[in-house]
Amino acid sequence: MGELRIALQSLKMSILAKLQYRADSFVATLAVFLREATGIIVIYLALMKFDCINEWNVDEMLFLFSLLFITYSIIVVLFADLRDFSCMIREGRFDRLMVRPRGLLFQLISNNADVIAACGHGMLGLVLFVVSAGRVGIHWDFLTVIYYITTVVGGVLIQGGMFIIFSSLSFYFVETNSIRDIFYWNMRRFAGYPISIYNKLIQVIMIYVVPFAFVNYFPAQYLLRKPDMEEYPEIYLYIAPVVGIVIYMAAYVFWRISVKNYKSTGN
């Protein structure tokens, strides 16, 4: 309970720090929202030229995107320092954490929160969810709501685990932004569309290597039951939270092993 209280206090301090200049924070949040929304609008207008993509209509595609934005809004609250970890290593700021009486990973998770990005992405994710959820034929009952919540948790753990893995690689290579860009940001762009439209290599990567398919595609399939799900084992519909736990625990073990190789770069 003590560590949870510290984490909540740290989050509160991050929010207050960001809101110190409220007008600037509002404009920055709006800028993030509009930046991401512009990309969605472009995709929406392009999709309006087609009835569907592999039997997925526009509203169902927006539902896929909503899961990406909602989970990422939570990610940047908890894992903002890990997202930008290679900068911390290069600048020698990681040394400060090593002299404090708390776990290193706990400090990184509780130390900072990108509240502006969280609000911008979160608002867009909620807008997309509200717009699409009522149009895609989902029957919302207690079990469906519970499944959706656990899916969001699983998606956060999957992406958080990936950030921990990329951060752990910084202990070996210092600069890992290119690796992160290739295996996170590029795959995240692919995840906005049904993975069934890609060739088998991309599908394998998105299911077994960088498992974004369990962040939004398979959870959406559980709720929508599209015909292209026949290409994959049915169990994939139910294991998104389990995949999240496995990825996160494996990332944690890799972190514990890798941090032993840390050598300060100075300041």
Side-chain angles (χ1 to χ4, degrees), residues 163-183:
F163 279 137
I164 293 174
I165 291 171
F166 299 141
S167 299
S168 300
L169 291 175
S170 296
F171 296 126
Y172 302 98
F173 305 111
V174 180
E175 178 56 70
T176 59
N177 285 340
S178 296
I179 298 174
R180 183 197 61 196
D181 291 347
I182 292 171
F183 287 100

Side-chain angles (χ1 to χ4, degrees), residues 233-249:
E234 186 177 358
I235 193 173
Y236 289 176
L237 298 174
Y238 309 102
I239 61 173
V242 176
V243 172
I245 293 171
V246 171
I247 293 293
Y248 190 85
M249 294 306 297

Side-chain angles (χ1 to χ4, degrees), residues 87-197:
C87 294
M88 182 178 289
I89 291 290
R90 287 199 312 272
E91 297 168 4
R93 291 184 286 120
F94 184 67
D95 295 9
R96 303 175 190 173
L97 305 185
M98 302 189 75
V99 298
R100 296 174 181 171
R102 291 288 174 183
L104 294 171
L105 193 56
F106 171 79
Q107 292 184 67
L108 288 167
I109 291 175
S110 63
N111 186 52
N112 190 23
D114 191 345
V115 180
I116 290 173
C119 291
H121 285 83
M123 285 191 301
L124 181 57
L126 289 174
V127 168
L128 293 176
F129 176 80
V130 170
V131 168
S132 63
R135 300 180 179 178
V136 294
I138 298 173
H139 175 63
W140 293 99
D141 55 22
F142 178 75
L143 290 178
T144 304
V145 171
I146 294 298
Y147 177 86
Y148 186 86
I149 293 171
T150 58
T151 287
V152 170
V153 173
V156 169
L157 290 175
I158 289 170
Q159 295 174 81
M162 285 192 278
F163 279 137
I164 293 174
I165 291 171
F166 299 141
S167 299
S168 300
L169 291 175
S170 296
F171 296 126
Y172 302 98
F173 305 111
V174 180
E175 178 56 70
T176 59
N177 285 340
S178 296
I179 298 174
R180 183 197 61 196
D181 291 347
I182 292 171
F183 287 100
Y184 183 82
W185 297 115
N186 288 340
M187 290 297 107
R188 186 173 180 267
R189 292 189 186 98
F190 288 154
Y193 302 89
I195 66 169
S196 57
I197 70 174

Side-chain angles (χ1 to χ4, degrees), residues 10-20 25 113 115:
S10 179
L11 175 61
K12 178 182 177 180
M13 292 172 62
S14 293
I15 294 173
L16 291 176
K18 296 292 184 183
L19 295 180
Q20 186 174 1
S25 298
V115 180

